[in-house]
Amino acid sequence: MTSNVEVLRYTAFTHDPAGGNPAGIVLDARELSDGEMLEIAAEVGYSETAFVTERDDEGRTFRVRYFAPAAEIDFCGHATIATAVVLAERLGTGRLLFDTDAGRITVDTEIDDDTLRATLTSVPTRSRPAGEEELAEALAALGWSRGDLDPAFPPHVAFGGVEHLVLAAASRERLADLDYDFEALRSVMTRHGWTTVNLFWRESDERFHARNPFPVGGVVEDPATGAAAAAFGGYLRVLGTGSDEFTVIQGVDMGRPSTLKVSIASQDGRTRVGGGAVPLEVSGGGHTSSYE
């Protein structure tokens, strides 16, 4: 059955096919089993593929599931943006509702300067200080020391649909030099239930640089991570620091620059994360060098 399934390929948080984070999109997955969706995601090879498994009669509410090459993920931000752009191209702009394993996600689509953009509103966010054991295990797997961290931003575990360990690099050079133990970090993250590790460096209160290892999904690194950006907004809200609106620059060190526009979590604990998405012209499975 999987050989007959149409998989669209878009890259999110960019308007350039050479940038952003690629996502697979299956608009009609009603007849696919869990195993078949996982098989398709592995064949596509991107960090996530989104599967639309149900839609309401009016066509604006959808059940969406996300599969990485190695596992199902409760929520994926970049695949949400890509799927919303694809649906808006077919249905027209406006509000879409995605029912995910993490909860209902509202996505607003619009034309901005002749470009189609989507902005998701996350489920309520939360953030807590990372435990000493959690931190020590993660730093060891990353090959980082406590001196590599920016003391202005305490390590946290933040949630914006899925959980992420959040660590602030003391310098841009430390962030750029990422060479971690894949199996060791995957083991640590699996034990603690983290989807990615959100490594970031503050250029200013309005501009952050980020990298997101994703070994639990079978992926070395994500070039753009909307779920982590949503959780990061919640993290900054808990700390009471930063600007209400900021930009996350990601993927630069991978050669796939991405731009995520973020509005810090509101009083109800939700974060808005927006960006564009464009189609990819690829052949075969669409694998890139960032995947194991």
Side-chain angles (χ1 to χ4, degrees):
M1 178 182 292
T2 59
S3 62
N4 298 321
V5 174
E6 181 183 15
V7 181
L8 304 175
R9 290 170 169 84
Y10 274 58
T11 184
F13 295 115
T14 184
H15 300 302
D16 181 354
N21 194 359
I25 304 157
V26 177
L27 291 180
D28 185 1
R30 289 173 295 179
E31 302 300 322
L32 295 177
S33 68
D34 291 7
E36 288 169 331
M37 286 188 277
L38 183 60
E39 179 184 348
I40 290 169
E43 291 173 352
V44 171
Y46 297 151
S47 57
E48 275 98 0
T49 295
F51 296 84
V52 179
T53 59
E54 299 175 29
R55 64 188 298 172
D56 70 350
D57 291 338
E58 296 182 1
R60 306 297 293 192
T61 301
F62 304 85
R63 172 75 170 104
V64 183
R65 297 175 65 182
Y66 309 92
F67 284 80
E72 183 174 10
I73 305 299
D74 286 348
F75 173 64
C76 171
H78 84 276
T80 293
I81 295 296
T83 302
V85 165
V86 167
L87 290 170
E89 289 174 343
R90 288 154 174 75
L91 303 175
T93 57
R95 175 160 291 186
L96 303 168
L97 300 176
F98 287 4
D99 289 324
T100 76
D101 285 349
R104 173 162 285 187
I105 304 296
T106 299
V107 192
D108 294 302
T109 61
E110 62 179 350
I111 301 294
D112 181 18
D113 292 332
D114 297 324
T115 301
L116 184 55
R117 291 176 50 86
T119 300
L120 66 86
T121 300
S122 75
V123 297
T125 61
R126 60 178 183 265
S127 190
R128 64 164 177 84
E132 286 299 314
E133 182 178 347
E134 292 175 313
L135 178 60
E137 291 177 340
L139 290 177
L142 287 167
W144 288 26
S145 71
R146 291 176 188 262
D148 290 321
L149 302 178
D150 183 346
F153 293 94
H156 266 225
V157 175
F159 175 86
V162 289
E163 288 199 329
H164 311 262
L165 178 65
V166 182
L167 300 177
S171 68
R172 182 66 181 90
E173 292 73 22
R174 172 68 277 186
L175 186 67
D177 185 16
L178 181 61
D179 183 18
Y180 69 91
D181 186 324
F182 187 92
E183 292 301 333
L185 188 59
R186 175 158 59 183
S187 177
V188 172
M189 294 172 66
T190 300
R191 287 200 306 275
H192 296 296
W194 304 331
T195 297
T196 76
V197 176
N198 185 27
L199 307 171
F200 75 93
W201 174 74
R202 176 179 60 178
E203 178 180 335
S204 70
D205 283 347
E206 291 77 33
R207 188 177 174 91
F208 295 84
H209 297 256
R211 301 187 73 172
N212 270 252
F214 184 33
V216 296
V219 175
V220 174
E221 181 181 359
D222 254 353
T225 318
F232 186 58
Y235 166 78
L236 293 180
R237 175 175 175 266
V238 168
L239 294 187
T241 188
S243 173
D244 287 347
E245 296 184 354
F246 57 90
T247 299
V248 174
I249 304 299
Q250 195 176 334
V252 173
D253 299 297
M254 301 174 63
R256 295 198 65 89
S258 308
T259 302
L260 297 82
K261 298 293 186 180
V262 185
S263 299
I264 201 166
S266 58
Q267 291 304 310
D268 68 357
R270 300 176 189 268
T271 304
R272 288 172 59 81
V273 182
V278 293
L280 288 168
E281 294 184 4
V282 297
S283 60
H287 292 267
T288 77
S289 61
S290 62
Y291 308 116
E292 291 256 297

